[in-house]
């Protein structure tokens, strides 16, 4: 039995039985059979059903938001927007991008021949989704996989199992043929066995680095691809010419929103010496306006972390940094032994401290003073991760010049903690490999097939 403990009050919010071996076998058989027919449904019809799916999800955004708050703790004032904003934006972009992304690739004309390259569906895509943005992360692969003609089997986090069920409800309402989308509640061992099953043709995993290694090891026994989005320790650089109002507002939000539980959230900031004191002072003042409390209360802007042990991990990281010389600026009244953790800003930090090098995944950010662009670049690159990085400046040429030297998947100027669906979402180093979103996101969900036709 799989139990979801709500971080709001420690109660069991939902229980679900794990799939049996027979149920797993039946689901994979259904996926294979359904996909054979689905692949031959015209693209325009597949797109139409996908649009109905998005409409069905949007219609239930408020109800989905409340149950999402109970499952993972984000304040209810924000959770419906995961569906109305990012989810809908990404899904509709990927649907609309399909004709271009999936179009045949023509080659140079040759007398007596018809030649082209076609993108054909892989078969069954196994999606393993996380709890922190359970709809946003899953939609990146679920919608384009199905639009491309694949079947999808979704395994959602044990913390957010109802998200998989809401996906299934909406696909059913949209008229998707039975078996094209399915979900399974699985143990870790069963996840590995599904990856190793010959009926699975691709794996998409979002989660920890350790989890990514496990997925890759399981996939490596077969000749299938794995798209992996793993950890992050995303940096930002505030140059001397930055717009301070904009930098403070966006970077505090980028560090603290969702209690800092975002793969592309800001976890470390480097501020130029000319603006360091001003930036810190104003960032602290803004963070003090957050309201930590019950996420079901409309006034709450910062809810509990997902689990008590996650909050304890962050507490330990902060305590260790302070023991090494870091300065706390907020000293929020804490509630040890619970998932409720107040935000914190640290200065007098350096890269000898875990809080500046290891993923925190909580409402804590360290801010370091730097004297030059070169120093900022060196520190931003001093990381095992590379998902996003950001700069605040009014000099676009400088942003481009510095961005070329940063090892990252996405480089932002005057923005952070956002996925533009028109751009490839990808990472380097321990952040993983592969690409989702943009027209290029369809590449890993299809295989190439060359047509070489000779006329007699």
């Amino acid at each position: 039995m799989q139990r979801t403990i709500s971080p709001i009050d420690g109660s069991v919010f939902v229980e679900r039985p794990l799939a049996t071996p027979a149920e797993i076998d039946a689901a994979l058989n259904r996926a294979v059979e359904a996909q054979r027919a689905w692949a031959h449904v015209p693209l325009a019809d597949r797109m139409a059903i996908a649009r109905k799916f998005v409409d069905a999800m949007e219609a239930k955004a408020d109800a989905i938001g409340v149950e999402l708050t109970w499952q993972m703790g984000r304040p209810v004032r924000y959770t419906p927007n995961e569906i109305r904003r990012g989810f809908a934006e990404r899904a509709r972009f990927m649907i609309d991008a399909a004709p271009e992304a999936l179009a045949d690739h023509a080659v140079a004309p040759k007398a007596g021949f018809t030649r082209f390259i076609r993108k054909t569906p892989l078969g069954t895509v196994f999606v393993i989704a996380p709890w922190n943005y359970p709809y946003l992360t899953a939609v990146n692969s679920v919608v384009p996989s199905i639009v491309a003609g694949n079947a999808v089997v979704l395994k959602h986090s044990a913390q957010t199992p109802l998200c998989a069920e809401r996906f299934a409800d909406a696909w059913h309402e949209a008229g998707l043929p039975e078996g094209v989308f399915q979900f399974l509640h699985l143990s870790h061992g069963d996840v590995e066995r599904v990856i190793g099953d010959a009926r699975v043709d691709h794996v998409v995993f979002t989660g920890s680095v350790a989890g990514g290694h496990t997925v890759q090891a399981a996939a490596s026994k077969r000749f299938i691809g794995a798209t992996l989005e793993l950890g992050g320790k995303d940096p930002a650089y505030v140059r001397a010419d930055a717009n301070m109002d904009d930098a403070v507002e966006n970077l505090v939000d980028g560090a603290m929103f969702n209690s800092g539980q975002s793969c592309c959230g800001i976890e470390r900031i480097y501020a130029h010496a000319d603006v360091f004191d001003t930036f810190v002072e104003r960032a602290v003042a803004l963070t003090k306006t957050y309201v930590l409390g019950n996420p079901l209360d409309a006034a709450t802007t910062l809810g509990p972390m997902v689990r008590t042990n996650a909050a304890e991990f962050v507490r330990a990281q902060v305590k260790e940094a302070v023991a090494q010389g870091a300065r706390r600026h907020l000293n929020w009244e804490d509630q040890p032994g619970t998932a409720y953790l107040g935000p914190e800003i640290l200065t007098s930090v350096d890269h000898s401290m875990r809080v500046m090098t290891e993923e925190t995944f909580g409402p804590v950010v360290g801010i370091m003073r730097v004297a030059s662009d070169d120093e900022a670049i060196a520190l931003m690159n001093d990381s095992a991760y590379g998902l996003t990085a950001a700069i605040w400046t009014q000099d676009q040429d400088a942003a481009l010049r510095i961005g070329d030297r940063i090892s990252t998947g996405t480089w932002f100027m005057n923005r952070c903690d956002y996925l533009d669906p028109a751009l490839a979402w990808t990472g380097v180093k321990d952040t993983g490999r592969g690409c989702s979103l943009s027209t290029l996101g369809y590449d890993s969900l299809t295989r190439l097939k060359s047509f070489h036709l000779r006329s007699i």
Side-chain angles (χ1 to χ4, degrees):
M1 184 65 69
Q2 175 180 282
R3 291 180 172 85
T4 299
I5 306 299
S6 175
I8 295 177
D9 58 7
S11 64
V12 176
F13 181 65
V14 63
E15 292 182 308
R16 290 292 185 269
L18 294 175
T20 65
E23 289 169 335
I24 295 169
D25 186 63
L28 294 177
N29 280 336
R30 282 194 299 270
V32 171
E33 290 301 316
Q35 190 275 330
R36 287 173 182 159
W38 179 244
H40 296 289
V41 172
L43 176 59
D45 294 345
R46 300 198 300 260
M47 292 167 62
I49 289 176
R51 290 192 180 99
K52 291 178 182 178
F53 161 75
V54 181
D55 292 342
M57 291 289 290
E58 279 191 304
K60 299 177 178 66
D62 287 329
I64 287 173
V66 172
E67 67 181 24
L68 180 54
T69 295
W70 273 104
Q71 288 174 95
M72 52 76 65
R74 189 186 314 142
V76 74
R77 66 188 289 164
Y78 303 126
T79 44
N81 290 334
E82 181 165 343
I83 300 298
R84 291 196 177 104
R85 295 181 184 174
F87 174 93
E89 179 188 28
R90 296 180 196 179
R92 290 198 170 102
F93 178 88
M94 294 306 288
I95 295 165
D96 293 342
E100 175 188 350
L102 299 174
D104 292 342
H105 176 74
V107 298
K110 184 176 181 180
F113 291 88
T114 299
R115 301 179 301 161
F116 61 92
I117 303 167
R118 176 161 291 168
K119 293 180 180 178
T120 63
L122 296 173
T124 298
V125 177
F126 183 37
V127 178
I128 309 166
W131 53 264
N132 62 323
Y133 282 95
Y135 292 103
L136 287 183
T137 50
V139 74
N140 292 352
S141 52
V142 170
V143 166
S145 291
I146 288 176
V147 171
N150 297 295
V152 167
V153 175
L154 172 63
K155 187 276 178 194
H156 224 300
S157 167
Q159 192 67 39
T160 49
L162 295 184
C163 298
E165 297 177 20
R166 298 301 160 255
F167 268 86
D169 293 342
W171 281 118
H172 178 74
E173 186 176 333
L176 186 70
E178 199 73 23
V180 176
F181 175 87
Q182 298 173 85
F183 68 88
L184 293 169
H185 300 306
L186 300 171
S187 68
H188 291 308
D190 283 333
V191 166
E192 292 184 54
R193 283 186 281 275
V194 169
I195 294 171
D197 194 288
R199 290 165 290 186
V200 169
D201 301 286
H202 188 78
V203 183
V204 179
F205 173 77
T206 305
S208 68
V209 174
H213 280 295
T214 299
V215 169
Q216 181 160 297
S220 69
K221 298 172 185 176
R222 301 176 52 228
F223 295 123
I224 63 170
T227 301
L228 307 173
E229 184 197 323
L230 312 175
K233 190 71 178 175
D234 291 5
Y237 173 33
V238 183
R239 283 186 99 225
D241 67 337
N243 179 305
M244 198 55 53
D245 290 339
D246 188 68
V248 170
E249 178 184 356
N250 284 278
L251 285 172
V252 168
D253 181 70
M256 304 303 174
F257 189 78
N258 202 36
S259 295
Q261 298 167 127
S262 172
C263 296
C264 58
I266 296 299
E267 294 215 357
R268 51 198 175 106
I269 298 173
Y270 306 96
H272 193 277
D274 292 350
V275 296
F276 178 85
D277 292 334
T278 300
F279 178 81
V280 170
E281 179 183 356
R282 293 176 62 176
V284 169
L286 179 56
T287 307
K288 285 180 177 179
T289 67
Y290 278 72
V291 178
L292 175 67
N294 188 322
L296 296 172
D297 185 337
T300 297
T301 57
L302 200 71
M305 294 189 65
V306 67
R307 287 182 292 273
T308 297
N309 63 356
E312 295 295 352
F313 173 84
V314 178
R315 289 183 179 106
Q317 208 178 63
V318 171
K319 183 179 180 180
E320 180 184 278
V322 170
Q324 293 176 287
R327 176 189 172 192
R328 297 183 64 169
H329 286 261
L330 291 164
N331 291 295
W332 208 280
E333 185 176 342
D334 201 7
Q335 302 177 45
T338 76
Y340 289 85
L341 177 70
E344 187 57 86
I345 290 175
L346 302 172
T347 57
S348 299
V349 290
D350 59 47
H351 281 216
S352 69
M353 302 174 184
R354 288 194 304 150
V355 77
M356 293 299 287
T357 58
E358 294 185 12
E359 191 168 31
T360 302
F361 224 60
V364 173
V365 66
I367 308 176
M368 280 184 67
R369 185 192 308 264
V370 296
S372 66
D373 291 347
D374 285 341
E375 184 180 5
I377 291 166
L379 289 167
M380 293 173 90
N381 282 335
D382 183 26
S383 174
Y385 303 105
L387 183 56
T388 79
I391 187 171
W392 261 259
T393 180
Q394 299 185 64
D395 186 340
Q396 184 166 303
D397 289 340
L400 288 169
R401 184 173 63 252
I402 293 168
D404 278 338
R405 297 172 61 188
I406 301 296
S407 183
T408 187
T410 296
W411 174 244
F412 291 107
M413 171 181 157
N414 300 332
R415 193 168 201 180
C416 63
D417 194 23
Y418 171 75
L419 278 71
D420 183 337
L423 297 175
W425 188 244
T426 185
V428 298
K429 297 186 279 191
D430 279 357
T431 287
R433 68 177 190 189
C435 162
S436 63
L437 299 178
S438 80
T439 55
L440 300 177
Y442 277 98
D443 289 355
S444 63
L445 304 174
T446 55
R447 62 169 54 91
L448 301 177
K449 186 175 185 177
S450 293
F451 284 76
H452 191 149
L453 313 177
R454 179 187 175 202
S455 299
I456 301 295

